[in-house]
Amino acid sequence: MRNKLNNLKTLVNKNVFVPTGTSDLLIDASTKIIKSNKTILDLGCGNGIVGISISKIKKIKKKVYFSDISNSACKNTKQNCEKFKINYEIKKGKIFNPWKNYKFDYIVSDVAAIADGVAKVSPWYQNCTNNAGIDGTKNVIKFLNEARFYLNKKGIILFPVISLSNEKKIISVLKKKFDNIKLIKTKTWPLPKSMYKNINLLKKLKSKKIICFENKYGILTFKTDIYHAQKKN
Ligand SMILES: C[S@@+](CC[C@H](N)C(=O)[O-])C[C@H]1O[C@@H](n2cnc3c(N)ncnc32)[C@H](O)[C@@H]1O
């Protein structure tokens, strides 16, 4: 899998999430914010592409931290870290469970976050699990509720909000828990054609305000927003 920004060719193993445009957007946004020589956690690392790319682009010498709920993802990240000679620590586990007593300057998280009904009919989650709940917010909200305990003073989180989840619910938790909230990147994508046959399901979720997509001249589109937020004092 080639990352468009720095041409990094990472390996993607069976049962591991195949990086998407959202991964690239998160990398692009993060590298504009993250300062070198800081501690970074890539939470929901998949094959490690986000943390590894940031580390390479920003020339980070410090250890980069990775975690994922999936054993295959952790093994794949290890393989890629060794391939790209990254100084790494990888732990398997749910959200912050593996990181008791750790603190980071930046937490970059692309943890699974689309509505389960959408994930089931999408090409992205055929070999790995989404398990983000009916409205796609379960993992992100847990992440937002706990992140401040794992951040250093003035620590920053960077994460995507995809319109195939209940964005409003996520943003309302973000506003309660964090300061200095900024929408730093946004991109609209065509919905994969293979999902058009499930249009009735998608319309039903949209009518319930669980997801949002647009129909522009017969092309269905959804979007990714990348958010920056800072730990409250
Ligand atoms: C959208 S993929 C992103 C993977 C990678 N960061 C990328 O951009 O390609 C989401 C990742 O979150 C992981 N994940 C799902 N639920 C999780 C949880 N509760 N805790 C930690 N990781 C989780 C999945 O195994 C998957 O690797």
Side-chain angles (χ1 to χ4, degrees):
M1 183 74 203
R2 200 180 288 277
N3 165 252
K4 286 188 189 123
L5 297 163
N6 56 352
N7 232 0
L8 209 70
K9 215 175 165 191
T10 53
L11 307 164
V12 188
N13 293 346
K14 201 170 157 249
N15 299 331
V16 177
F17 186 87
V18 179
T20 61
T22 290
S23 319
D24 278 336
L25 202 67
L26 181 60
I27 295 163
D28 189 17
S30 302
T31 49
K32 293 196 169 70
I33 303 279
I34 292 177
K35 295 189 177 77
S36 301
N37 239 13
K38 298 280 181 187
T39 46
I40 304 169
L41 167 63
D42 174 357
L43 196 155
C45 58
N47 81 336
I49 191 158
V50 174
I52 293 172
S53 300
I54 294 170
S55 167
K56 282 282 163 201
I57 295 168
K58 302 300 292 184
K59 298 189 172 40
I60 293 187
K61 300 274 184 306
K62 278 196 171 184
K63 198 187 258 185
V64 181
Y65 298 82
F66 298 85
S67 64
D68 200 288
I69 197 170
S70 144
N71 210 18
S72 310
C74 293
K75 279 189 186 157
N76 199 165
T77 294
K78 182 173 188 285
Q79 227 181 341
N80 280 320
C81 281
E82 281 168 8
K83 179 173 176 190
F84 292 102
K85 301 193 175 12
I86 305 289
N87 182 6
Y88 67 88
E89 184 167 339
I90 304 169
K91 288 178 184 274
K92 176 191 173 301
K94 277 189 190 174
I95 314 287
F96 286 108
N97 286 0
W99 301 113
K100 304 288 170 222
N101 303 320
Y102 283 74
K103 294 227 181 206
F104 309 95
D105 297 312
Y106 297 96
I107 303 172
V108 182
S109 175
D110 184 16
V111 71
I114 60 172
D116 279 344
V118 178
K120 250 184 226 151
V121 300
S122 81
W124 311 302
Y125 285 97
Q126 294 310 312
N127 301 318
C128 55
T129 44
N130 178 60
N131 196 14
I134 191 166
D135 63 0
T137 65
K138 189 177 86 179
N139 297 327
V140 191
I141 287 185
K142 193 165 168 50
F143 165 74
L144 293 176
N145 279 329
E146 296 177 11
R148 65 188 187 282
F149 304 118
Y150 299 89
L151 282 168
N152 287 324
K153 204 174 168 206
K154 296 193 172 171
I156 284 168
I157 56 166
L158 295 148
F159 71 104
V161 179
I162 302 177
S163 69
L164 301 174
S165 67
N166 187 338
E167 297 169 280
K168 272 195 183 154
K169 193 165 155 189
I170 295 171
I171 302 306
S172 88
V173 177
L174 180 66
K175 284 182 177 163
K176 277 188 203 134
K177 303 286 177 187
F178 283 88
D179 275 343
N180 200 3
I181 295 162
K182 292 179 200 154
L183 170 60
I184 49 172
K185 277 238 169 224
T186 185
K187 190 154 179 177
T188 299
W189 319 95
L191 201 73
K193 281 268 157 62
S194 62
M195 295 173 75
Y196 281 36
K197 58 180 179 288
N198 303 104
I199 187 66
N200 288 341
L201 165 81
L202 299 173
K203 278 184 178 166
K204 196 169 155 198
L205 293 172
K206 186 178 178 182
S207 73
K208 290 184 176 172
K209 299 196 184 333
I210 288 176
I211 65 167
C212 185
F213 61 92
E214 304 293 329
N215 186 341
K216 290 182 185 158
Y217 311 109
I219 308 237
L220 303 181
T221 63
F222 69 103
K223 74 175 167 69
T224 303
D225 289 334
I226 307 289
Y227 278 92
H228 159 294
Q230 192 160 36
K231 183 178 171 173
K232 287 189 181 198
N233 281 330

